[in-house]
Amino acid sequence: MTRTETGRTVRDLMHPDARCVGEHDSLRTAARMMRDLDVGALPVCGDDDRLKGIITDRDIVIKCCAEGGNLDETTTSELAQGLIWIDAGGSVDEALNMMERHQIKRLPVIENHRIVGMISEADLAKNLPDDRLAEFVHQVYGRG
């Protein structure tokens, strides 16, 4: 099975114009943004407009709602997860390897220290050969 997507960069596959939710915004604000943008994850950006992490719809439900948390008082920075990202000029192989290694389905894309897009499993599904997509799915979902 080939792992090479020669010549293709993350920019070729990413969804451009990712919108950030602010690190001081409430989870309710984040949830409404997700609804309005029809996305399941948002990058969390600080006052300096730099990536601070990512928050998912699942984070909101599992880590706040299910625990009896307050959507209006809990901020996105309280739940934002790791600073895993890739440069827009990075190779598709680099992105796949990073997503597989960290078992993540979405990856923020950075250029000149600013977020310029997101690459998701949906972007991969539209652009990868079936065998490579199957390998990605096995690596992300198949490991326990």
Side-chain angles (χ1 to χ4, degrees), residues 21-79:
V21 62
E23 67 180 327
H24 304 294
D25 286 340
S26 71
L27 294 184
R28 185 173 310 280
T29 298
R32 287 180 175 156
M33 281 183 71
M34 288 180 195
R35 177 199 61 202
D36 295 346
L37 297 169
D38 193 26
V39 297
L42 289 170
V44 176
C45 293
D47 296 332
D48 58 0
D49 200 33
R50 303 284 174 107
L51 181 68
K52 303 298 181 190
I54 191 167
I55 189 166
T56 68
D57 49 5
R58 189 172 195 284
D59 293 332
I60 294 170
V61 171
I62 301 297
K63 296 176 183 175
C64 184
C65 296
E67 297 296 324
N70 186 315
L71 290 172
D72 295 310
E73 293 176 5
T74 307
T75 64
T76 60
S77 64
E78 293 177 58
L79 298 188

Side-chain angles (χ1 to χ4, degrees), residues 39-131:
V39 297
L42 289 170
V44 176
C45 293
D47 296 332
D48 58 0
D49 200 33
R50 303 284 174 107
L51 181 68
K52 303 298 181 190
I54 191 167
I55 189 166
T56 68
D57 49 5
R58 189 172 195 284
D59 293 332
I60 294 170
V61 171
I62 301 297
K63 296 176 183 175
C64 184
C65 296
E67 297 296 324
N70 186 315
L71 290 172
D72 295 310
E73 293 176 5
T74 307
T75 64
T76 60
S77 64
E78 293 177 58
L79 298 188
Q81 299 175 10
L83 280 175
I84 300 168
W85 55 272
I86 192 162
D87 188 86
S91 73
V92 172
D93 286 334
E94 288 176 89
L96 287 166
N97 291 334
M98 189 176 294
M99 292 170 82
E100 289 169 353
R101 184 172 55 255
H102 296 284
Q103 291 186 282
I104 56 176
K105 300 166 193 102
R106 303 166 183 102
L107 185 62
V109 180
I110 304 291
E111 184 174 60
N112 297 322
H113 306 288
R114 300 286 186 258
I115 188 155
V116 294
M118 291 278 282
I119 189 164
S120 70
E121 60 188 334
D123 299 316
L124 299 175
K126 289 183 230 174
N127 290 284
L128 293 179
D130 290 344
D131 62 335

